Amino acid sequence: MTPQRSTANATTAARRPARVAFVGAGPGDASLMTVASVELLARADAVITDQLTNEEIVASMTGEDVEIVDASHGEHGQQLTHASRAKLVVKTAKAHKGGLVVRLMDGDPATFNGLAEEAAALAKADIDFDVVPGVSAVSAVPSYAGVPLTNRSTGALHVVSVSGSKRPDLSASVRDDVTLVLLGLPEHLVPAFADLLANGRDGDTPVALTQGGTTTSQVTHGTTLAEAADAVVGLEVPTLAIVGPTVAMRSTLSWFETKPLYGWNVLIPRTKDQAGPMTKQLLGHGATSEVVPTISVEPPRTPQAVERAVRGLVTGRYQWIGFTSVNAVKAIREKFEEFGLDARAFSGLKIAAVGGVTADALREWGIEPDLVPTGEMSARGLLEEWPPYDEVLDPIDRVFLPRADIATDTLVAGLQEMGWQVDDVTAYRTVRATPPPAPTRDAIKQGAFDAVVFTSSSTVRNLVGIAGKPHPSTVIACIGPATVKTAEEAGLRVDVMAPEATGASLVEALAEHGRKLVTAAIEAGEEPQRPSARRKKAATRRTKAKG
């Protein structure tokens, strides 16, 4: 009887409308999304988005077959009412019987969102739902603006939405010890400021106006209540206003908009797989980044040599195998899978990796390298720590180096001098990638990027070849002396060189350069600006002078 009952229950569940999960998307910064929200998005059959939903975030966190339903506007572009959204949620749940629908809401579902109306509509339709709280803009945006909502002198915190049809009563928010957070469109904030002044709030009360909160486009304007109506003109949504004495602490506590690369747009000439760690590191310093692949990795034209070498690994031909790039690890791993081999074939071999990133790629394969340079992570650094061949201790004198077709001979020559026999085998080819789209090429040549980070000489040559030279105003950062030399030969002015030959060191060096630019601007009595903004300002001055 039990199996029949289970089958009946499963059939009933499949006939019921989808379960709906109300999920808070947070205020804009994707890293503020909760673990639960990310897990639900990954399992969703449909996602119903809000007005400010980041489409790229949704695309990266959902499956390929997910249905995306826009709940911000109707078919004719009109903004949907709460009632219309509620009907849309019910309709979507019924269309995905037995599945999961994620209703993704800006900020926190229960804070100035349509949770009450939409959840009530689901309850009325007998549709199951869950609620996953999110980080609210009410608290997150002030924190990212460097404004604590309370301190020891704060008597109350008031949060008021001014975007509704009914004008709110702000008479209870005029005491000096009250912090007031106003949510709404810029045009709705103006009468709210007037009401506060009319009800007796001091015109000298500090006010912070923040747009684009928690994203790298965030901008905070400091003003006073008496001047706030003028300051809000020209601001775009979303805008949040903080009124109260704690706003004055922003000059000391601002931490987000003062990051060394805040607002910078950095070009990374690498593949997306390789650029991931640098992208995250740049974001931590306040910068956005755009990846432009400069090379394409392809199999060797004649695979027989690498296939013989892989067979040699199994038969005991080699004492060492040296990996000089992540691409080399990937190429050998793919060849192993083709032959039905796994990491056990490395048993008895000594394994070298040129640097930390390559070592991590080996560890992902379940292989712990025996040798990783502790100093310079390059062929030269690898040679400095590679042991010479010893006729007594080393039973085999041969090394397998799976490399690119354009690899230099430095490592091969150095190993041979130490007594090793080297099989230098082309495991993959690197060819120049196709040029990026025209807007990207124009942005590179016209100075829209604040910096370019070059991680090898080939990235310099290939970027210049497929997209042209970066504008002279663009900060050029290179990973080491060889890359610097190539960049200078290409006519570029190099501003930054990493002290260590790693992507992490390169980003940190760029961040330090950003700090120095900010310090220099402040000492000169100027407002710090990112390189692309300075270029635009200089171009405007030249245009006015000609006029």
Side-chain angles (χ1 to χ4, degrees):
M1 296 297 292
T2 301
Q4 292 178 350
R5 187 163 56 249
S6 299
T7 302
N9 290 340
T11 302
T12 301
R15 290 175 179 173
R16 283 188 58 78
R19 190 176 191 90
V20 176
F22 291 94
V23 171
D29 184 349
S31 67
L32 295 180
M33 295 182 69
T34 64
V35 172
S37 66
V38 174
E39 291 177 347
L40 286 166
L41 282 169
R43 295 193 290 112
D45 298 290
V47 177
I48 305 174
T49 61
D50 241 350
Q51 183 174 358
L52 302 176
T53 300
N54 187 321
E55 295 179 1
E56 292 182 1
I57 291 176
V58 174
S60 65
M61 294 183 179
T62 56
E64 294 182 0
D65 298 329
V66 69
E67 179 188 6
I68 306 298
V69 180
D70 181 13
S72 61
H73 295 87
E75 295 180 359
H76 303 292
Q78 77 281 12
Q79 189 167 352
L80 295 181
T81 63
H82 284 314
S84 298
R85 290 191 185 115
K87 291 179 180 178
L88 182 61
V89 173
V90 171
K91 179 182 177 182
T92 305
K94 290 181 177 179
H96 292 273
K97 296 186 184 299
L100 172 65
V101 172
V102 170
R103 173 63 172 106
L104 198 60
M105 290 182 153
D106 302 329
D108 175 63
T111 308
F112 296 108
N113 267 311
L115 174 65
E117 293 82 1
E118 294 178 24
L122 290 175
K124 184 178 180 181
D126 191 27
I127 297 174
D128 298 326
F129 63 88
D130 301 303
V131 179
V132 179
V135 176
S136 174
V138 170
S139 59
V141 174
S143 295
Y144 271 56
V147 179
L149 292 177
T150 63
N151 62 10
R152 288 180 297 177
S153 302
T154 303
L157 169 63
H158 295 175
V159 180
V160 179
S161 174
V162 297
S163 290
S165 57
K166 184 178 179 181
R167 195 159 172 171
D169 181 4
L170 299 176
S171 59
S173 303
V174 297
R175 295 201 323 267
D176 291 339
D177 65 343
V178 172
T179 299
L180 173 62
V181 177
L182 296 173
L183 305 170
L185 299 174
E187 58 266 28
H188 294 150
L189 292 172
V190 173
F193 296 144
D195 287 349
L196 287 170
L197 291 168
N199 280 283
R201 187 107 197 207
D202 193 334
D204 291 331
T205 302
V207 174
L209 301 168
T210 301
Q211 58 181 339
T214 77
T215 70
T216 51
S217 61
Q218 173 180 306
V219 177
T220 301
H221 304 270
T223 183
T224 63
L225 184 58
E227 299 175 349
D230 293 331
V232 83
V233 175
L235 297 187
E236 300 174 354
V237 293
T239 303
L240 181 144
I242 315 161
V243 182
T246 58
V247 172
M249 303 179 71
R250 179 173 175 267
S251 59
T252 303
L253 303 182
S254 179
W255 62 273
F256 185 59
E257 294 176 45
T258 55
K259 286 177 179 283
L261 301 177
Y262 184 77
W264 285 40
N265 188 16
V266 179
L267 180 69
I268 306 177
R270 302 189 82 178
T271 63
K272 288 188 177 181
D273 291 342
Q274 294 174 321
M278 295 184 74
T279 297
K280 292 179 180 178
Q281 194 177 356
L282 285 165
L283 186 60
H285 287 300
T288 57
S289 56
E290 184 172 332
V291 178
V292 173
T294 57
I295 63 170
S296 176
V297 178
E298 298 181 2
R301 288 191 175 90
T302 54
Q304 289 83 1
V306 69
E307 289 174 356
R308 281 196 302 270
V310 169
R311 283 192 287 267
L313 287 176
V314 180
T315 58
R317 176 179 172 82
Y318 301 106
Q319 174 81 353
W320 280 89
I321 179 171
F323 290 99
T324 57
S325 70
V326 173
N327 287 327
V329 176
K330 183 179 179 183
I332 297 303
R333 188 170 183 176
E334 289 175 351
K335 193 58 67 175
F336 265 46
E337 292 171 354
E338 181 182 329
F339 288 168
L341 301 172
D342 57 29
R344 289 174 294 182
F346 287 102
S347 178
L349 269 171
K350 291 184 178 179
I351 301 166
V354 74
V357 177
T358 304
D360 288 341
L362 285 167
R363 293 184 184 108
E364 288 178 8
W365 194 4
I367 301 168
E368 183 62 36
D370 300 283
L371 173 61
V372 181
T374 55
E376 180 181 339
M377 293 187 180
S378 64
R380 189 181 304 278
L382 193 57
L383 277 173
E384 289 177 356
E385 299 186 33
W386 198 301
Y389 171 66
D390 189 308
E391 294 182 0
V392 176
L393 299 178
D394 296 312
I396 305 170
D397 66 351
R398 193 165 292 275
V399 177
F400 172 30
L401 289 182
R403 302 199 297 162
D405 57 332
I406 59 171
T408 60
D409 295 330
T410 303
L411 184 57
V412 175
L415 290 173
Q416 289 173 338
E417 288 179 5
M418 289 192 287
W420 295 101
Q421 301 295 316
V422 182
D423 284 356
D424 183 19
V425 179
T426 297
Y428 62 94
R429 292 184 300 121
T430 56
V431 298
R432 184 174 289 179
T434 57
T440 301
R441 298 198 303 270
D442 292 341
I444 292 171
K445 289 181 284 191
Q446 295 173 8
F449 288 101
D450 298 286
V452 180
V453 287
F454 289 114
T455 54
S456 67
S457 292
S458 62
T459 59
V460 177
R461 290 190 291 267
N462 289 336
L463 181 71
V464 172
I466 66 176
K469 292 182 182 179
H471 190 275
S473 67
T474 305
V475 173
I476 304 298
C478 296
I479 202 166
T483 308
V484 169
K485 181 180 178 181
T486 303
E488 290 175 342
E489 289 173 350
L492 302 178
R493 181 202 70 250
V494 178
D495 305 283
V496 177
M497 186 181 79
E500 299 177 5
T502 66
S505 178
L506 180 58
V507 173
E508 290 304 315
L510 180 62
E512 183 59 31
H513 182 75
R515 290 188 187 94
K516 291 178 180 178
L517 291 179
V518 170
T519 301
I522 293 174
E523 290 177 349
E526 301 174 354
E527 181 182 353
Q529 290 182 313
R530 62 185 189 275
S532 61
R534 290 201 305 272
R535 179 194 61 80
K536 289 181 181 178
K537 190 173 182 179
T540 301
R541 285 199 299 266
R542 289 194 297 269
T543 301
K544 289 182 178 179
K546 290 179 180 179

